[in-house]
């Protein structure tokens, strides 16, 4: 105590120090009480103002992007929280402000790198909010939990906005449209080239096969004797006519497909699928072209059975043959009960003698000797 009841300067300073310590303890106790309430969970909304995101294809112009979201967190381990933040005098509000600051830094980093890391085009980043949100959860949550000693229960991006009036966005949008147009035209040209190549290969294969068939039939015709020469000549003519019809059908389908393809090219910028539909229709038309089968000949008598049979003679298919032709072949000895025959509606080739409809052809004829040719190959 100083003179005349006054306190000394040392005593005054000591009282001030004790009062400051008491006030600090009360503030700390209040903050601890507020922070302890966070164990039940707290939500912080954040809004990150526009920042530039660059597309790898146009590095000169940034596109302004803004991000909004919310984080729900809790302090489940108070000892860990104090250990991590022992040098900080946090209140509830100061803690939330620092949390927002760190979230802004981490989330901006994820969004800025999304065009390269996740292959997300900048012009589509608004529609890719789910992908961006997943990236933020994977990369930001562990860092924030470790930095603050808290448990994050959810971290969601609620909206991503692009400034569509900015120069960067308009330049990037124009470039993207040009690139997409070039890609579609390149794909269109490649499909036309592939179609023409396949068509040329198919026609070349058909010509070669036709030539081989004609040569084989010509050689076989030279070896045949007697009545077989006439039969082989007729068969050769029939095969030539069939192949001529097939070539004409293929050329017609090719011309039609080419016309449809080039008509579809004018709509390639509107719908890239038009070319695929036109090509599919052309190819299906080629695959489903009719395989032949002569119509029934007119002028047949009322008492003559109306039939159309194919016949296997010496390993070759011949026909279709009506009743008069079948009678001629029986008289020439080329059609016997052991010859293979077939017509529409039959499940497989059958001996002529086993077909009840043909029984009148063989009445009064002697059965043929055994040792007839085996079942037609490739039927």
């Amino acid at each position: 105590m100083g003179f005349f009841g006054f306190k000394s300067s040392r005593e005054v300073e000591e009282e001030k120090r004790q009062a400051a310590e008491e006030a600090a303890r009360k503030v700390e106790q209040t903050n601890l009480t507020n922070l302890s309430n966070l164990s039940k969970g707290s939500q912080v909304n954040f809004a990150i103002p526009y920042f530039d995101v660059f597309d790898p294809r146009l590095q000169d112009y940034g596109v302004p992007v803004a991000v909004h979201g919310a984080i729900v967190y809790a302090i489940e381990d108070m000892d860990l929280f104090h250990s991590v933040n022992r040098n900080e005098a946090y209140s509830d509000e100061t803690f939330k402000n620092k949390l927002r600051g760190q979230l802004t830094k981490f989330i901006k980093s994820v969004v800025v790198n999304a065009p390269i890391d996740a292959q997300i085009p900048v012009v589509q980043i608004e529609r890719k909010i789910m992908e961006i949100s997943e990236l933020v959860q994977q990369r930001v949550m562990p860092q924030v939990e470790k930095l603050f000693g808290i448990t994050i229960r959810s971290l969601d991006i609620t909206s991503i906005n692009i400034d569509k009036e900015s120069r960067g966005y308009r330049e990037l949008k124009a470039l993207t449209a040009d690139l997409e147009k070039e890609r579609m035209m390149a794909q269109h040209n490649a499909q036309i080239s592939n179609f023409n190549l396949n068509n040329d290969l198919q026609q070349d294969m058909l010509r070669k096969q036709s030539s081989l068939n004609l040569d084989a039939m010509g050689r076989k015709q030279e070896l045949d004797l007697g009545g077989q020469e006439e039969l082989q000549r007729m068969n050769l003519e029939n095969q030539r006519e069939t192949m001529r019809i097939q070539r004409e059908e293929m050329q017609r389908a090719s011309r039609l497909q080419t016309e449809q393809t080039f008509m579809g090219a004018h709509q390639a910028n509107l719908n890239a699928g038009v070319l695929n539909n036109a090509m599919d229709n052309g190819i299906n038309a080629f695959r489903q072209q009719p395989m032949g089968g002569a119509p029934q000949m007119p002028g047949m008598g009322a008492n003559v059975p109306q039939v159309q049979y194919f016949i296997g003679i010496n390993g070759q298919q011949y026909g279709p043959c009506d009743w008069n032709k079948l009678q001629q072949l029986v008289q020439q000895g080329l059609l016997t009960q052991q010859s293979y025959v077939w017509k529409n509606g039959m499940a497989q080739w059958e001996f002529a003698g086993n077909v009840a409809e043909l029984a009148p052809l063989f009445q009064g004829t002697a059965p043929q000797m055994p040792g007839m040719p085996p079942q037609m190959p490739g039927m």
Side-chain angles (χ1 to χ4, degrees):
M1 180 71 67
F3 292 102
F4 305 108
F6 293 102
K7 297 180 180 178
S8 65
S9 59
R10 180 178 299 178
E11 291 174 333
V12 171
E13 291 297 328
E14 179 64 20
E15 288 179 354
K16 289 181 178 180
R17 184 185 65 79
Q18 292 177 355
E21 290 179 352
E22 181 64 21
R25 281 195 299 271
K26 290 181 178 180
V27 170
E28 182 178 1
Q29 184 64 34
T30 301
N31 291 339
L32 289 176
T33 301
N34 292 334
L35 291 174
S36 64
N37 292 331
L38 297 178
S39 61
K40 301 177 182 179
S42 179
Q43 176 173 320
V44 174
N45 298 323
F46 57 86
I48 304 175
Y50 284 109
F51 57 95
D52 286 341
V53 179
F54 293 86
D55 192 287
R57 297 167 295 182
L58 193 65
Q59 292 285 359
D60 295 334
Y61 298 101
V63 178
V65 176
V67 181
H68 299 80
I71 181 174
V72 177
Y73 65 95
I75 302 175
E76 296 182 351
D77 189 337
M78 190 61 69
D79 292 336
L80 174 62
F81 178 83
H82 288 305
S83 174
V84 172
N85 303 283
R86 59 181 177 273
N87 295 325
E88 302 287 347
Y90 282 136
S91 67
D92 184 46
E93 190 60 31
T94 58
F95 177 78
K96 289 181 178 180
N97 289 335
K98 187 168 184 178
L99 180 60
R100 287 191 185 95
Q102 292 298 326
L103 285 173
T104 298
K105 179 178 68 174
F106 292 142
I107 292 174
K108 285 176 64 175
S109 176
V110 171
V111 175
V112 166
N113 291 289
I116 296 177
D117 295 346
Q119 300 297 310
I120 298 177
V122 175
V123 294
Q124 299 179 13
I125 204 167
E126 287 180 319
R127 300 196 302 269
K128 300 293 183 179
I129 188 170
M130 295 302 297
E131 290 84 345
I132 296 293
S133 188
E134 290 179 1
L135 287 175
V136 168
Q137 292 169 5
Q138 294 172 4
R139 301 182 183 183
V140 176
M141 286 177 59
Q143 297 184 71
V144 173
E145 287 182 334
K146 182 178 180 181
L147 182 63
F148 290 99
I150 61 177
T151 299
I152 297 177
R153 296 178 178 174
S154 66
L155 176 56
D156 297 314
I157 303 299
T158 56
S159 67
I160 300 177
N161 301 315
I162 293 179
D163 183 3
K164 295 183 173 61
E165 300 300 324
S166 65
R167 180 183 178 184
Y169 176 80
R170 288 185 279 107
E171 292 284 350
L172 182 60
K173 190 69 175 178
L175 175 63
T176 303
D178 292 339
L179 291 176
E180 181 64 15
K181 180 178 179 180
E182 292 177 2
R183 183 191 68 80
M184 292 174 62
M185 290 303 300
Q187 182 179 10
H188 166 71
N189 293 332
Q191 290 172 338
I192 291 180
S193 178
N194 290 336
F195 171 77
N196 291 335
L197 178 61
N198 291 334
N199 186 56
D200 292 341
L201 290 175
Q202 289 175 353
Q203 291 190 1
D204 184 60
M205 291 177 61
L206 181 59
R207 285 192 296 269
K208 290 180 179 179
Q209 186 63 42
S210 298
S211 178
L212 291 174
N213 291 341
L214 291 174
D215 291 343
M217 287 186 291
R219 288 192 299 270
K220 186 168 184 58
Q221 185 181 23
E222 294 175 358
L223 298 176
D224 289 338
L225 301 175
Q228 293 184 358
E229 292 181 355
E230 176 64 16
L231 180 61
Q232 290 297 330
R233 185 187 67 79
M234 295 174 62
N235 194 21
L236 180 60
E237 291 178 356
N238 183 60
Q239 292 290 342
R240 285 174 174 170
E241 180 65 15
T242 300
M243 287 185 287
R244 182 188 66 79
I245 294 174
Q246 290 177 349
R247 285 196 298 270
E248 290 179 354
E249 287 295 321
M250 176 179 289
Q251 292 170 357
R252 184 187 65 80
S254 176
R255 289 194 300 270
L256 178 60
Q257 178 58 41
T258 301
E259 293 174 359
Q260 291 175 345
T261 300
F262 279 101
M263 288 177 66
H266 297 291
Q267 299 179 2
N269 291 334
L270 299 177
N271 189 351
V274 170
L275 178 61
N276 293 329
N277 293 335
M279 292 180 65
D280 290 341
N281 292 336
I283 293 174
N284 289 335
F286 171 74
R287 290 177 175 171
Q288 296 173 2
Q289 60 182 343
M291 298 305 296
Q296 182 174 332
M297 294 184 64
M300 299 301 295
N303 297 327
V304 178
Q306 301 298 311
V307 296
Q308 292 288 323
Y309 275 90
F310 290 86
I311 304 170
I313 301 178
N314 292 332
Q316 295 290 330
Q317 176 180 313
Y318 176 73
C321 300
D322 59 15
W323 189 264
N324 291 333
K325 189 62 182 177
L326 294 175
Q327 287 180 328
Q328 294 177 12
L329 295 176
V330 171
Q331 293 172 1
Q332 295 174 0
L334 299 177
L335 174 60
T336 69
Q337 298 184 46
Q338 282 73 36
S339 298
Y340 282 97
V341 296
W342 179 87
K343 71 171 184 177
N344 287 334
M346 294 177 60
Q348 59 187 0
W349 288 79
E350 189 65 60
F351 287 120
N354 293 340
V355 179
E357 188 178 28
L358 302 180
L361 291 172
F362 305 107
Q363 292 179 358
T365 61
Q368 188 171 340
M369 294 178 63
M372 296 304 293
Q375 180 175 352
M376 291 285 291
M379 291 295 125

